Amino acid sequence: MRKLAITALAVFGLDQLSKWFVVQYLDLINQGVIEVLPPFLRLTMAWNRGINFGLFANDANTTRWVLIAIAVVICVVVLWWMRGETNKYALISGGLLFGGAAGNVIDRIIYGAVADFLNMSCCGISNPFAFNIADCAIFLGAVGLVIFATDADKKGSTKA
């Protein structure tokens, strides 16, 4: 569980630091867009009040708190699931998911929405969506858990 905790704290810290730096220090909140490496990378201020790609987004305060509750439940379930895990990659994956979810929860509490700012396009395809470090960590953590987490049923069984 130590690997999970260290990974979660690192992801949470990096996510929150990057959001502070981009949104507040670089003043993306007022500038809206900062071209970094056009057209490949730009910082674009986007407030996500829903889940991925803005699904279920609205301005209702109820939705905000329901999404916070869901993220907290997911964090608790990940901790419960990882309690007997020994695979270091599974623990790191759990930490990625936990740290990313916690980072987005803090955004919803502070701002009322998740601060997304990374926008990447390539090869003539213009990507209309923005994301953040927490989103990347959640995605990588979920994929990692699918790949690396051990199946509890297999632990007690033997091959025939």
Side-chain angles (χ1 to χ4, degrees):
M1 290 295 275
R2 185 173 177 196
K3 284 182 182 18
L4 185 147
I6 291 169
T7 304
L9 284 172
V11 167
F12 178 80
L14 184 60
D15 175 64
Q16 290 299 298
L17 182 63
S18 70
K19 288 172 181 171
W20 173 84
F21 181 75
V22 171
V23 175
Q24 304 296 330
Y25 184 77
L26 294 180
D27 197 32
L28 189 63
I29 199 165
N30 290 313
Q31 291 191 49
V33 175
I34 298 173
E35 298 289 343
V36 179
L37 293 170
F40 305 110
L41 175 63
R42 78 177 77 191
L43 304 177
T44 304
M45 192 69 243
W47 295 104
N48 186 351
R49 298 187 188 290
I51 56 175
N52 288 44
F53 308 114
L55 294 172
F56 306 115
N58 64 40
D59 289 329
N61 202 35
T62 305
T63 302
R64 169 187 174 197
W65 291 104
V66 166
L67 292 173
I68 289 170
I70 290 169
V72 169
V73 167
I74 289 170
C75 288
V76 170
V77 168
V78 167
L79 288 178
W80 180 81
W81 184 20
M82 295 285 105
R83 73 191 185 289
E85 185 62 65
T86 57
N87 183 312
K88 70 178 179 179
Y89 299 113
L91 291 167
I92 290 168
S93 297
L96 287 168
L97 198 148
F98 188 97
N104 283 346
V105 162
I106 293 301
D107 283 12
R108 288 188 196 284
I109 291 170
I110 293 172
Y111 301 118
V114 174
D116 289 336
F117 57 88
L118 294 169
N119 177 261
M120 302 177 83
S121 297
C122 179
C123 314
I125 299 171
S126 180
N127 176 17
F129 301 106
F131 57 96
N132 60 42
I133 290 172
D135 296 337
C136 295
I138 291 167
F139 175 79
L140 292 173
V143 169
L145 286 175
V146 168
I147 295 169
F148 299 115
T150 55
D151 186 352
D153 294 334
K154 291 180 183 176
K155 287 181 182 177
S157 66
T158 59
K159 288 188 177 182

